[in-house]
Amino acid sequence: MTDPLVLITGAGPTGLVLAIWLTKLGVKVRIIDKTAEPGTTSRALAVQARTLEFYHQVGFDDAVIAGGNKIQHLNFWVKGRRRARVPLQDTGKGLTPYAFALIFPQDAHEKLLIEELGKLGVRVERQTELVRFTQHDRGVTATLRRPDASEDVCEAVYLAGCDGASSTVRGQLGVGFPGGTYTGLFYVADVEATGEPVDGDLNVDIEDADFILLFGLKGQGHVRLVGTVRDLPEGERSKLAFDDVKGKAIEHLKLNIEEVNWFSTYRVHHRVADRFRDRRAFLLGDAAHVHSPVGGQGMNTGIGDAVNLAWKIAAVLKESASESLLDTYEPERIRFARRLVATTDRGFTLVTRRGGLAGMVRTRIVPLVVPLLFRLGAMRRLLFRTVSQTQVNYRGSSLSAGTAGRVRGGDRLPWIDLGSGVDNFAPLTSLEWQVHVYGEVRRDMREACAELRLSLHPFAWQRTMQRAGLQEGALYLVRPDGYVALADSRADPVRLRQYLVGRDLTPRSVPG
């Protein structure tokens, strides 16, 4: 294939981010979606710090922040009475340049991603559907159905299934999707409202047999509500209106709902695909894993899938890595997806379980314990790292090796604020393999990097680097996605060469 193309099915955030990264890396893409237009409702809301770090690498983190709403506090209410107020601003200070909680509705998010992709000369092909595909030694032959119902044959070197929980790609591959569906029905509504909890923050009201989440959106009085539908008669779901589901929580909070802009009900699933790859076809985002909305992790996890796969495909197509590099996508991402499903399952069960004991835990214990936990600096940082996904690592990957300081191969590169608006993440915008040394660089290391055509980035040693876990004078070989591949306390050029040769990597190609 003289001009290799990657076919992406599904133009949600996962597919769009994959298309953006691949295009930035010089790979031709074709992205299709069977819907007539982008989503017009604010489904996923939270944009985590790790996602913003990925967006910084491709140049539109500021636009996302400008369009979103920074959440300053988490307020706990019990039966309409405020019981606790937990500050969220700067919870992750010193860990990332994005040390805050950001709400940016998915409809606006997708619109921005489509605009960014358009700037790169790529458009989403709407009302275009994958009908079937076959794989062969050199690629994938896919049959697509156009808007006029005619069929088009597309030859691609790889196929990326970003087509949601009912994925056509996963179905045709015959990949299992084990898991289940939680009992109970939930609702989501975007409303304009007044009342004390309409303050731009995140508010949680807990009742004996009910709960409601209120997310402050951009714009005066605009709120996203998420709650439970209790005691629904069989077959009544399609007839429900917002007035049917308001429940005690809204009454107790004294919310005055002035306008309902969007309302829907849904069931929550928890599933992880048995495999994320079948030869030249890959599964990403909801096609690979779905879980409860606890912690705002779903969309961000799909975006993490996209970034992980994008640089690996580009490296293979640019001949700076062998095909075996793609074998690392599934183990790196499936391990995190399985752990995430297990974690959010426990949290979701706590929030939604019915019964006297569960109600007592929600209404009495949680509002007391959570503020106490947030008063502990170590706990605040742990919670932030977990929710922000800055703690996600690939330590068990075949691409990860060595330890230097507290940083191990597979860890996200620690962020260092160098002052005057400069940080050590700036070189990551090159989207290429690079070597970081914090402290003095030995001559033989400079020579090795020049020979290997690896960008070398030395940083004058500061005490903040040690606090972040870095070791003075050590070598950190950093992947295009900002994760440390090799951490070597001795900064040994021989070990650097051995690492690259042993994994059949020659990362000499510059993106584009």
Side-chain angles (χ1 to χ4, degrees):
M1 201 173 291
T2 55
D3 191 10
L5 173 140
V6 176
L7 175 62
I8 302 169
T9 65
T14 298
L16 291 166
V17 171
L18 179 62
I20 290 169
W21 268 69
L22 283 172
T23 305
K24 285 273 192 177
L25 288 162
V27 176
K28 185 177 179 181
V29 302
R30 185 174 179 183
I31 180 169
I32 65 171
D33 196 286
K34 62 184 179 181
T35 63
E37 60 183 14
T40 57
T41 53
S42 60
R43 288 155 286 166
L45 286 175
V47 181
Q48 305 296 355
R50 189 66 182 120
T51 296
L52 290 172
E53 291 174 357
F54 289 141
Y55 286 176
H56 168 72
Q57 289 189 251
V58 288
F60 54 84
D61 52 321
D62 288 342
V64 173
I65 295 168
N69 176 41
K70 291 183 182 179
I71 301 295
Q72 302 296 321
H73 297 90
L74 168 61
N75 299 297
F76 278 96
W77 303 71
V78 176
K79 301 178 183 179
R81 295 179 59 190
R82 195 198 307 258
R83 296 285 298 274
R85 184 173 176 84
V86 178
L88 295 181
Q89 67 269 38
D90 296 330
T91 303
K93 188 174 183 179
L95 299 174
T96 174
Y98 311 102
F100 46 80
L102 183 72
I103 297 299
F104 187 47
Q106 186 173 334
D107 54 341
H109 195 158
E110 285 187 16
K111 181 180 177 182
L112 185 149
L113 292 173
I114 291 168
E115 290 173 355
E116 292 297 326
L117 187 58
K119 293 176 186 176
L120 300 174
V122 179
R123 67 176 183 86
V124 177
E125 298 179 44
R126 292 283 170 189
Q127 295 180 283
T128 303
E129 185 176 0
L130 175 67
V131 178
R132 58 188 173 273
F133 66 92
T134 58
Q135 301 192 64
H136 48 84
D137 289 345
R138 299 188 61 196
V140 177
T141 301
T143 301
L144 312 178
R145 184 177 293 118
R146 295 190 179 111
D148 62 1
S150 65
E151 291 190 347
D152 171 30
V153 176
C154 173
E155 294 290 342
V157 67
Y158 297 112
L159 170 64
C162 307
D163 48 347
S166 301
S167 170
T168 298
V169 175
R170 190 188 64 245
Q172 293 197 19
L173 290 174
V175 173
F177 203 34
T181 303
Y182 294 101
T183 58
L185 187 67
F186 302 86
Y187 75 83
V188 58
D190 283 354
V191 305
E192 296 172 36
T194 57
E196 189 178 355
V198 184
D199 55 5
D201 284 337
L202 171 58
N203 290 270
V204 182
D205 181 75
I206 304 169
E207 306 282 329
D208 289 327
D210 193 10
F211 79 94
I212 189 170
L213 303 176
L214 296 86
F215 298 87
L217 303 180
K218 195 111 176 171
Q220 184 68 32
H222 286 262
V223 178
R224 167 98 173 253
L225 304 178
V226 177
T228 55
V229 179
R230 297 295 188 187
D231 305 318
L232 176 70
E234 201 64 38
E236 292 296 310
R237 178 179 175 183
S238 61
K239 303 175 184 178
L240 284 176
F242 180 72
D243 285 342
D244 299 319
V245 304
K246 289 190 297 187
K248 291 287 186 182
I250 289 179
E251 178 185 332
H252 289 163
L253 287 170
K254 297 181 175 61
L255 280 179
N256 177 32
I257 307 297
E258 298 176 346
E259 190 75 34
V260 179
N261 298 319
W262 173 61
F263 166 77
S264 183
T265 59
Y266 63 99
R267 295 193 184 276
V268 175
H269 306 273
H270 50 103
R271 301 179 184 274
V272 179
D274 288 331
R275 291 175 287 136
F276 286 10
R277 181 192 182 192
D278 182 315
R279 294 169 288 166
R280 292 181 172 271
F282 299 86
L283 299 175
L284 302 84
D286 285 356
H289 46 78
V290 292
H291 39 79
S292 87
V294 169
Q297 301 291 293
M299 179 187 67
N300 296 274
T301 303
I303 290 168
D305 295 342
V307 173
N308 186 288
L309 182 60
W311 73 264
K312 293 173 181 177
I313 286 179
V316 171
L317 295 182
K318 296 291 183 179
E319 299 183 342
S320 64
S322 69
E323 187 94 14
S324 63
L325 177 63
L326 296 176
D327 294 338
T328 66
Y329 166 69
E330 179 182 300
E332 287 189 352
R333 295 307 296 174
I334 202 169
R335 174 174 170 265
F336 173 62
R338 287 171 175 163
R339 187 171 66 248
L340 180 63
V341 166
T343 302
T344 57
D345 179 69
R346 289 191 293 269
F348 194 73
T349 300
L350 172 66
V351 171
T352 60
R353 179 173 290 167
R354 305 186 78 167
L357 178 60
M360 185 182 72
V361 170
R362 286 199 304 271
T363 60
R364 298 183 185 180
I365 297 176
V366 170
L368 291 175
V369 171
V370 171
L372 293 175
L373 292 177
F374 269 82
R375 289 175 190 169
L376 302 174
M379 184 57 68
R380 280 201 309 273
R381 291 167 73 86
L382 174 61
L383 290 171
F384 178 84
R385 286 181 186 273
T386 301
V387 174
S388 69
Q389 299 197 353
T390 56
Q391 189 166 259
V392 173
N393 68 76
Y394 304 130
R395 288 182 176 181
S397 173
S398 61
L399 289 179
S400 305
T403 302
R406 297 193 308 277
V407 177
R408 294 169 55 184
D411 288 351
R412 161 187 165 273
L413 179 71
W415 175 70
I416 305 296
D417 183 359
L418 301 172
S420 302
V422 180
D423 63 23
N424 67 325
F425 276 18
L428 301 181
T429 58
S430 68
L431 307 184
E432 63 183 350
W433 287 84
Q434 55 197 262
V435 170
H436 285 211
V437 177
Y438 298 85
E440 188 176 345
V441 183
R442 292 184 355 213
R443 180 177 176 179
D444 58 352
M445 179 53 65
R446 291 185 182 275
E447 292 171 349
C449 288
E451 175 193 334
L452 297 166
R453 292 172 61 185
L454 281 169
S455 298
L456 172 63
H457 298 278
F459 300 90
W461 182 252
Q462 300 178 10
R463 291 182 61 186
T464 54
M465 296 171 179
Q466 184 176 11
R467 289 198 292 270
L470 297 165
Q471 179 178 319
E472 185 175 3
L475 171 148
Y476 298 95
L477 175 64
V478 184
R479 303 170 8 165
D481 56 358
Y483 288 90
V484 174
L486 169 66
D488 182 14
S489 60
R490 295 180 298 171
D492 183 357
V494 174
R495 191 175 185 196
L496 175 61
R497 290 189 183 92
Q498 289 175 338
Y499 173 90
L500 296 173
V501 171
R503 290 159 180 80
D504 204 11
L505 296 168
T506 54
R508 299 174 179 175
S509 299
V510 176

